[in-house]
Amino acid sequence: MACGFRRSIASQCDNCMAVFEKFGIREVADFQLSVDSLLENNNDHSRPDIQIQAMRLAEKLKCDTVVSEISTGQGTVNFKINRELLTKTVLQQVIEDGSKYGLKSELFSGLPQKRIVVEFSSPNVAKKFHVGHLRSTIIGNFIANLKEALGHQVTRINYLGDWGMQFGLLGTGFQLFGYEEKLQSSPLQHLFEVYVQVNKEAADDKNVAKSAHEFFQRLELGDMQALALWQKFRDLSIDEYMRIYQRLGVHFDEYSGESFYREKSQEVLKLLDSKGLLQKTLKGTAVVDLSGNGDPSSVCTVMRSDGTSLYATRDLAAAIDRMEKYNFDKMIYVTDKGQKKHFQQVFQMLQIMGYDWAERCQHVPFGVVQGMKTRRGDVTFLEDVLNEIRLRMLQNMASIKTTKELENPEETAEQVGLAALIIQDFRGFLLSDYQFSWDRVFQSRGDTGVFLQYTHARLHSLEETFGCGYLNDFNTACLQEPQSVSILQHLLRFDEVLYRSSQDLQPRHIVSYLLTLSHLAAVAHRTLHVRNSPPEVAGARLHLFRAVRSVLANGMKLLGITPVCRM
């Protein structure tokens, strides 16, 4: 959107395309050109006075049908766009492009369509969905949404933790302490209880630990009885996870898992050995020395002493398999920052194995959420948190006089609560740890998800109240108030915000943009009345508010939030 205006201004300057990139949108003007940035190749001694340069450049430039005013600031040239042109261009574009507004920008023109694999969420089978997996789930969902919106072919993979020594413990534990009826009625809760109990037993009794080790060996060797029990645990877990994902509004194209690669990981070990990369230790384990000089910090263990595979081996096998299956241009792993070294080693091993496409693999790390507890204490299962969010939101909505009667208040409460959760998570850098606050998350004022949902519902109500009779055409001259212009300027730069998020995969740019848009809309709603205004004025304002709601909804959906129409 802003690119067209930039290009028009830049066409008056020498070296048009170089200057084109240097225009920024500012509050003091629609566009602002820093003269200092044009002189970046000069050293400090030879550089002429910046203010004089700004004034000289401003004198050379002329107002036209696009630019209505040119002025200078501190080392800048400021441009004001023809107000009626700004109004008409922005509002027409929002209406015409609909859900694609901002995505059809010149910023994305010529963008090659890529095959992208995003691996995210990845809970551990036979364990209740922990809140620790929430960040991976919502961040991965955002990245996949954004890539899809930009036209890429995205494959969403849930790579379940469904293999490893913990299943030896769980298999043994279930044989000792498990009950089939409890497994059917509350599978993950019962398996969690069994897992806790067998861990305690294994710590005190070496025979239990030995049985667990033997059970996992049986799994690795393909023992039918052991595999049948494991498969039951896996199927019951996925059924329960899918319920949670449905509540979160998240879907996957493929449910994969470490178990898929138990045989292929043996092929990886053979390949490493054939390339002379596999080294046996005195303990009987197999390692790969990534430093080439025996540096202990650069050694990655890929096989246990009994020949069974490890997490890293299975990740290598999964990456190779996905390249064969999807021929991806980019594969993104969304996990916590604690796995940074693991992925560095996996990508490095792929490189030395001769897979040049390893450079297409990317790890998107994130920090830890602290303090996410329910009222009952330290329970950190996601379903408990979601239930508490819904309950608290219902209570908040019931206490607010302006809350409308809803057909399904529980569903609305859940969507508003999820918005609160997602916005609090996405406001900062993904890599940062943050302190979760129940009080802050539910504030209806300020920079919260509740505020975004409230703004969307309020604007939707405005359209419902006045209908679409006003929306056939509008007079741009009726939207020249400062509140209208501020909104139009903000709508203009949505494409730049999307571009920034597409470059660094950080949702905070979009969150900040939507919160500012909501604040601007709140001010306009208080001052630019539709009711009792002349039809021409009411129609123009309704057009403006509809554009705000449309862009707000587009941005929320990218973040993984379902906008509500009533609350």
Side-chain angles (χ1 to χ4, degrees), residues 336-375:
D336 69 85
K337 60 186 178 183
Q339 294 195 49
K340 184 180 177 182
K341 184 179 178 181
H342 165 77
F343 283 107
Q344 284 175 341
Q345 291 186 330
V346 168
F347 300 160
Q348 201 175 338
M349 277 191 283
L350 287 168
Q351 283 277 14
I352 63 175
M353 288 168 77
Y355 296 114
D356 293 338
W357 49 260
E359 63 188 21
R360 302 182 202 174
C361 299
Q362 179 184 0
H363 177 219
V364 176
F366 54 82
V368 179
V369 187
Q370 296 154 338
M372 191 182 278
K373 300 171 183 176
T374 65
R375 290 179 194 175

Side-chain angles (χ1 to χ4, degrees), residues 179-308:
Y179 294 94
E180 187 63 34
E181 57 273 22
K182 284 188 178 181
L183 183 66
Q184 294 303 324
S185 62
S186 183
L188 295 192
Q189 183 61 40
H190 183 52
L191 289 175
F192 173 69
E193 290 163 357
V194 166
Y195 190 72
V196 170
Q197 194 170 355
V198 75
N199 262 296
K200 287 178 183 174
E201 294 291 329
D204 300 330
D205 188 340
K206 288 183 179 179
N207 288 327
V208 174
K210 185 184 175 187
S211 294
H213 191 82
E214 288 170 353
F215 190 93
F216 182 57
Q217 274 190 309
R218 285 167 57 201
L219 279 175
E220 286 263 295
L221 293 169
D223 179 86
M224 296 303 289
Q225 192 176 357
L227 281 172
L229 188 59
W230 166 84
Q231 188 68 50
K232 184 188 288 187
F233 295 163
R234 189 181 193 277
D235 292 345
L236 288 167
S237 299
I238 290 176
D239 286 346
E240 199 139 333
Y241 295 153
M242 287 179 80
R243 250 188 342 99
I244 300 287
Y245 291 130
Q246 193 170 8
R247 290 181 70 175
L248 292 172
V250 173
H251 73 275
F252 295 93
D253 300 301
E254 179 183 306
Y255 279 86
S256 178
E258 294 180 68
S259 62
F260 284 50
Y261 302 104
R262 64 181 188 271
E263 291 175 9
K264 289 186 178 181
S265 62
Q266 295 302 316
E267 293 171 22
V268 168
L269 292 171
K270 287 175 187 173
L271 186 57
L272 286 166
D273 197 26
S274 69
K275 290 181 177 288
L277 299 169
L278 208 60
Q279 299 176 14
K280 287 286 180 72
T281 67
L282 293 173
K283 294 178 180 177
T285 59
V287 300
V288 175
D289 178 10
L290 295 168
S291 68
N293 58 20
D295 178 2
S297 65
S298 297
V299 169
C300 182
T301 305
V302 291
M303 188 184 78
R304 291 191 182 88
S305 56
D306 61 2
T308 56

Side-chain angles (χ1 to χ4, degrees), residues 488-502:
L488 292 163
Q489 287 173 322
H490 198 63
L491 291 174
L492 183 65
R493 58 182 290 264
F494 187 50
D495 61 341
E496 295 183 345
V497 174
L498 295 178
Y499 182 75
R500 206 169 300 140
S501 279
S502 75

